[in-house]
Amino acid sequence: MKAFIRSPLWIAPSQGFVDPKNEGPTNFYYTQEEKERFRKDPDMFLEYRKRIESDMNRTFDTFLKDGSKQQSALVEFAKLMKKRLGGNEKLAAALTPTYGVGCRRLTPGPNFLETLVKDNVEVINDEIDHIEAKGLVTKDGSLHEVDAIICATGFDTTYKPRFKLIGSQGTSLADMWSDPDAIEAYLAMAIPEFPSYFMFVGPNAPISNGTLIPVIEKQASYMMKFVDKMQRQQLKSFAVKPEIVRQLNVHHQKYLRRMVFSDPCRSWYKAGRAEGKVLGIWPGSSLHYMEAINDPRYEDYDYEHQSNNMWNYLGNGWTQLETKDREIEDEMDLAWYLVKPSQVLEAPGS
């Protein structure tokens, strides 16, 4: 077996990497007894989940270039990788990067390094030039004969849509974003000149800033707030203002210079380039992003209304609650705004 590895890559100690001094959790298979306990004890299950999520949310400062966690990670990752390579000095030197831990997306790779030192495995570090009938030819002109090729790269992560998407000015998004340096989005969800259009995990989303799935759920909540606003206020369309997006993206790139994501490594965070604009990372933690989108800045958008008077949505002067109260003969709570004093004084999150 031949493994073509054209450039070094940091291999994380485990799939659940949190602390560079800790090899992380290794149990990703749960027994039937454990699963049953999770089902029967939701409080315990929630606490277990919270512990994992909290640990994931503590990883972001590892990616600060000059941070103590990054310096520790550089030492510990190199040591652990060499250990997993059986102390092979030549392979360790070839596979250990000089850029920061996290410049490229961290790869868990259970048993990957251990496999590379087996007798039936050959590691080839030269870049592949082309493929011929008998195998692969590397840049040095060598032909490596193989029976089968398994590709583990080559994905297009430049955010260009796979379908035709035309904006309000008649421009195709794929054309508009053909130059990676021209890619800009609003809070990883909206694009100027593309009204009423949202996307999940767009440019500069917190893809490696901590836990991701809750971020996607928060994005869905953000989008639903706009759906509700459109229905209630009879909006025809909404579009984020270009200047708002421009300023936001200036902030992104200024902040990200402090992070290892801007180090000189070829990464999909930078559209496959070693240098250039960082497109794949939010300038902050996942929690920071979730808080930023929790309350939509509606003022950042331009709106088109369904009627000439934007206030027509006020209707006949009664709420749906009052209408329903009349229908069921005075059974609705028309004093919903009254609460106990303790609830009024209660601090958020307490």
Side-chain angles (χ1 to χ4, degrees):
M1 182 177 183
K2 298 185 178 184
F4 293 82
I5 306 174
R6 68 181 180 184
S7 55
L9 178 67
W10 289 114
I11 305 295
S14 80
Q15 285 177 279
F17 162 68
V18 174
D19 189 324
K21 295 182 179 179
N22 182 345
E23 293 198 19
T26 57
N27 175 26
F28 299 102
Y29 303 95
Y30 299 97
T31 66
Q32 289 302 319
E33 291 76 12
E34 288 173 320
K35 294 176 185 178
E36 186 64 22
R37 188 183 174 196
F38 289 153
R39 282 190 286 267
K40 290 183 176 180
D41 192 343
D43 291 336
M44 182 276 294
F45 185 39
L46 177 61
E47 179 58 32
Y48 176 76
R49 292 169 56 209
K50 280 181 171 289
R51 195 161 61 246
I52 294 174
E53 290 282 314
S54 293
D55 282 345
M56 286 296 296
N57 284 325
R58 293 187 178 103
T59 63
F60 183 65
D61 53 350
T62 301
F63 305 125
L64 280 168
K65 284 184 179 180
D66 300 321
S68 59
K69 281 191 176 183
Q70 173 64 203
Q71 302 310 309
S72 178
L74 287 168
V75 174
E76 296 299 325
F77 270 51
K79 183 170 67 177
L80 287 168
M81 285 177 61
K82 185 176 179 180
K83 177 182 176 183
R84 292 172 63 185
L85 287 167
N88 189 310
E89 297 281 354
K90 183 179 178 181
L91 271 181
L95 298 180
T96 303
T98 56
Y99 54 76
V101 173
C103 179
R104 297 177 69 176
R105 185 167 175 81
L106 284 177
T107 302
N111 298 317
F112 174 68
L113 295 174
E114 292 84 349
T115 302
L116 296 180
V117 294
K118 290 185 177 180
D119 294 337
N120 63 337
V121 177
E122 179 186 358
V123 176
I124 298 157
N125 297 118
D126 199 17
E127 190 168 344
I128 297 170
D129 183 76
H130 64 277
I131 299 173
E132 294 184 355
K134 291 185 178 181
L136 301 96
V137 178
T138 47
K139 290 286 187 180
D140 63 1
S142 301
L143 170 63
H144 303 270
E145 295 188 13
V146 294
D147 298 315
I149 299 172
I150 301 174
C151 296
T153 186
F155 301 103
D156 185 349
T157 56
T158 55
Y159 295 101
K160 291 183 294 185
R162 307 300 187 267
F163 50 89
K164 191 174 184 179
L165 186 61
I166 306 297
S168 59
Q169 304 302 310
T171 305
S172 163
L173 184 59
D175 291 340
M176 194 167 83
W177 282 0
S178 59
D179 177 6
D181 288 330
I183 296 176
E184 291 186 346
Y186 176 77
L187 299 176
M189 290 184 285
I191 311 165
E193 299 180 4
F194 285 80
S196 306
Y197 177 77
F198 281 130
M199 58 189 162
F200 287 100
V201 198
N204 291 111
I207 194 76
S208 289
N209 307 53
T211 181
L212 178 61
I213 292 178
V215 164
I216 297 173
E217 294 172 343
K218 290 295 184 183
Q219 287 183 330
S221 296
Y222 179 97
M223 296 172 193
M224 290 308 299
K225 288 174 182 177
F226 269 83
V227 171
D228 184 63
K229 182 178 178 67
M230 286 190 77
Q231 291 177 334
R232 286 182 177 273
Q233 299 181 11
Q234 298 181 6
L235 300 177
K236 187 176 182 180
S237 68
F238 56 87
V240 67
K241 299 174 183 177
E243 180 54 28
I244 296 292
V245 179
R246 182 84 283 277
Q247 291 184 39
L248 177 61
N249 280 265
V250 168
H251 169 79
H252 285 351
Q253 299 309 312
K254 183 177 180 181
Y255 182 99
L256 287 166
R257 287 199 292 267
R258 305 165 51 203
M259 312 301 293
V260 293
F261 312 117
S262 61
D263 272 0
C265 72
R266 186 159 48 185
S267 165
W268 77 260
Y269 296 150
K270 300 190 287 284
R273 304 171 299 176
E275 303 282 354
K277 188 175 181 179
V278 179
L279 305 173
I281 299 292
W282 171 256
S285 66
S286 289
L287 295 178
H288 178 264
Y289 177 81
M290 286 190 277
E291 189 168 316
I293 69 171
N294 188 57
D295 296 309
R297 288 172 48 95
Y298 295 115
E299 67 271 25
D300 291 347
Y301 291 80
D302 288 319
Y303 301 94
E304 185 180 358
H305 299 267
Q306 293 183 11
S307 63
N308 293 329
N309 190 327
M310 63 182 292
W311 297 106
N312 282 346
Y313 80 90
L314 291 176
N316 62 8
W318 278 272
T319 64
Q320 293 182 6
L321 179 65
E322 291 167 298
T323 301
K324 190 171 184 179
D325 182 68
R326 290 196 299 270
E327 291 174 354
I328 63 174
E329 298 181 357
D330 305 333
E331 292 296 326
M332 302 301 294
D333 177 11
L334 298 188
W336 52 265
Y337 47 85
L338 295 180
V339 296
K340 297 175 182 177
S342 58
Q343 290 177 272
V344 175
L345 298 174
E346 189 175 86
S350 63

